[in-house]
Amino acid sequence: MKKEYWIILIVYIAMQFSGIIGMPLLVRGLKIDRVMALPIWLIISFTLALIIILFILRKDSHARGPKGTGQGSSIGHSIIWAVSGFFLALFSQYAAAIIEQLLGIHMGSENTQQILNIIDIFPLAMIVTSIIGPILEEIVFRKIIFGSLYRRFNFIISALISSVIFALAHMEPEHIILYSAMGLTFAFLYVKTNRIIVPIFAHVMMNTLVVLVQTVYRDDIERLQRDLESIQNFIGGFL
């Protein structure tokens, strides 16, 4: 792995733990309410990390594809796969959710719920969850981690390892199937088009849709989840 990539990984990890310093700075130093300080620091840390990472990658812009070389797909072909990839990601997420249901895994996501709570407090935080976050994740987990593995192993091994790491990074091991399915989809889009912008677009669109739907129809979704869990428990009583 190139030195620049290691630096990017360090920046990304530092961003994840930056709240340890950033939160007290906002709360005690700038006297910002703790509830508001969280989304504000989220925006600051993610934005700074993205700027730093893009600056580091400025010399790497000529390298296309997970193997670092090769011509990327045409603009038209990339657009088609970006849009198709959005629906493919939704389908893989839906299929993974069904599998988790069959395994008796609770449908709800604490990570998603926390994100929605942050957006309720500070709607501007949606920029992070819908745009900046997905861009950073695709650069880190697909371009760097998957790309580095793909230069040594085949697609299946590289995609599986990077997708599991991607899943575990979301701190919800019970939903490892769900996140891994998404990771596999984005890795496929990256290899298929040789352009990291394609999985970035699909990821951004998917996160934006999920956040909007969860925000607008949250009560209905929670009611549906309770009904589905009741049906699952009822059926389980006969098995």
Side-chain angles (χ1 to χ4, degrees), residues 121 143 147 218:
I121 296 170
K143 181 176 179 62
R218 184 185 305 186

Side-chain angles (χ1 to χ4, degrees), residues 162-217:
S162 61
S163 295
V164 169
I165 295 174
F166 171 68
L168 294 176
H170 284 80
M171 306 300 290
E172 288 187 304
E174 68 274 17
H175 293 302
I176 191 170
I177 297 176
L178 184 67
Y179 288 112
S180 294
M182 292 160 53
L184 286 169
T185 302
F186 297 138
F188 168 76
L189 293 174
Y190 187 25
V191 170
K192 187 69 179 178
T193 62
N194 240 22
R195 289 182 183 272
I196 191 61
I197 190 63
V198 173
I200 284 178
F201 178 86
H203 198 161
V204 167
M205 290 298 293
M206 191 192 71
N207 274 30
T208 301
L209 177 65
V210 170
V211 169
L212 289 176
V213 171
Q214 290 273 2
T215 301
V216 177
Y217 300 103

Side-chain angles (χ1 to χ4, degrees), residues 32 47 83 107-108 146 213 236:
I32 297 176
T47 302
V83 176
M107 285 182 62
F146 168 73
V213 171

Side-chain angles (χ1 to χ4, degrees), residues 35 49 66-67 74 83 102 108 128 136 138 150 159 165 169 175 191 208 223:
V35 175
K67 289 189 179 295
S74 65
V83 176
L102 294 175
V128 171
L136 287 174
E138 290 309 307
Y150 193 51
I165 295 174
H175 293 302
V191 170
T208 301
R223 189 181 307 111

Side-chain angles (χ1 to χ4, degrees), residues 13-61:
I13 294 173
M15 177 202 72
Q16 297 290 345
F17 293 96
S18 64
I20 298 175
I21 298 176
M23 287 290 290
L25 179 64
L26 294 180
V27 175
R28 299 173 187 173
L30 300 179
K31 306 301 180 182
I32 297 176
D33 181 75
R34 178 172 292 274
V35 175
M36 289 296 296
L38 177 58
I40 291 175
W41 183 253
L42 193 70
I43 294 173
I44 293 173
S45 60
F46 271 70
T47 302
L48 285 176
L50 180 61
I51 292 173
I52 294 171
I53 289 174
L54 291 179
F55 178 78
I56 295 173
L57 286 175
R58 71 192 188 284
K59 296 180 180 179
D60 198 52
S61 59

